[in-house]
Amino acid sequence: MKLHEDIDQVLIPSAKLRARIRALGRRITRDYTGRDIHLITILRGGLFFLTDLARAIDLPLSLDCLGISSYAGQAQGTVRITKDLDDSIRGRHVLVVEDIIDTGLTLAYIRRNLLVREPASLGICTLLDRPYRRIVDIRVDYVGFEIPDAFVVGFGLDWRGRYRNLPYIATLNPELYR
Ligand code: IMP
Ligand code: MG
């Protein structure tokens, strides 16, 4: 059984992801020129996007990871830190790198948590976005793609821990959810 056999539809093929991430990297490079940029990704979904985005930014940068418990579809709003940052962000230009923003609840929590630590600035960059699903209003500085209201996997995004290593964004065969 191969992983791709569980896929229903490929929404964003890998060439399109790569091209978009390169474009985001160019924009971030332009916007942050003259500042030291500190990328913070949210484990584990943001990892794949982070590594590609970091390599598309032509500036000196550092990075760190924040681990949180994800809600996996239900019980939204309760976010728990499972792995804190290693480095202080005080006085640094932080850019949060997320896989997907849906209700915005997760990111609103993270944003509040990070602002208390007094960064010089706090930007938000997400690969995928469903703006029409927002419960809390949140300003997002960089968006890769707006996507329709279907559960997606791949490029870091999982279903029950699987499918993160697919090199594209896809929907799963509905038979799997039964
Ligand atoms: P929010 O708090 O509703 O914005 O949820 C965002 C988080 O939910 C993301 O960081 C993901 O971990 C997870 N999530 C939301 N939609 C999907 C999806 O379609 N596939 C996989 N994970 C998702
Ligand atoms: Mg996530």
Side-chain angles (χ1 to χ4, degrees):
M1 179 73 191
K2 295 284 173 58
L3 196 63
H4 75 263
E5 290 166 15
D6 290 349
I7 293 314
D8 180 30
Q9 242 190 304
V10 175
L11 288 188
I12 312 171
S14 56
K16 219 172 146 187
L17 284 168
R18 283 200 308 270
R20 183 70 186 129
I21 293 170
R22 275 198 302 270
L24 286 175
R26 281 194 296 271
R27 262 187 60 203
I28 292 167
T29 301
R30 198 185 57 218
D31 293 353
Y32 282 82
T33 297
R35 289 188 281 172
D36 273 355
I37 182 167
H38 189 59
L39 301 180
I40 290 181
T41 198
I42 314 304
L43 297 175
R44 285 162 271 180
L47 279 176
F48 291 71
F49 179 37
L50 171 86
T51 58
D52 278 359
L53 183 67
R55 285 177 286 189
I57 297 172
D58 187 16
L59 293 172
L61 65 77
S62 52
L63 57 88
D64 206 344
C65 301
L66 183 70
I68 56 148
S69 63
S70 66
Y71 68 78
Q74 63 278 72
Q76 321 182 347
T78 41
V79 178
R80 191 169 54 88
I81 291 189
T82 56
K83 186 226 161 274
D84 205 355
L85 299 173
D86 287 329
D87 299 335
S88 165
I89 58 168
R90 196 190 176 116
R92 299 173 94 162
H93 294 285
V94 170
L95 182 62
V96 174
V97 178
E98 246 298 30
D99 51 2
I100 183 165
I101 306 177
D102 189 64
T103 62
L105 288 168
T106 307
L107 213 60
Y109 172 88
I110 290 165
R111 204 173 159 274
R112 279 196 307 277
N113 183 289
L114 294 180
L115 280 175
V116 173
R117 310 181 197 205
E118 300 183 329
S121 66
L122 185 61
I124 290 171
C125 176
T126 188
L127 180 61
L128 307 177
D129 193 13
R130 294 193 193 99
Y132 51 88
R133 291 261 308 162
R134 282 298 191 284
I135 290 175
V136 286
D137 200 27
I138 194 152
R139 205 196 70 217
V140 186
D141 303 279
Y142 306 95
V143 175
F145 300 89
E146 285 188 12
I147 58 161
D149 196 5
F151 191 82
V152 293
V153 294
F155 216 79
L157 290 143
D158 74 302
W159 184 65
R160 299 186 174 174
R162 275 196 197 170
Y163 307 106
R164 294 192 197 277
N165 56 321
L166 289 170
Y168 44 76
I169 299 290
T171 54
L172 283 176
N173 187 334
E175 281 180 21
L176 281 164
Y177 300 116
R178 284 208 228 116

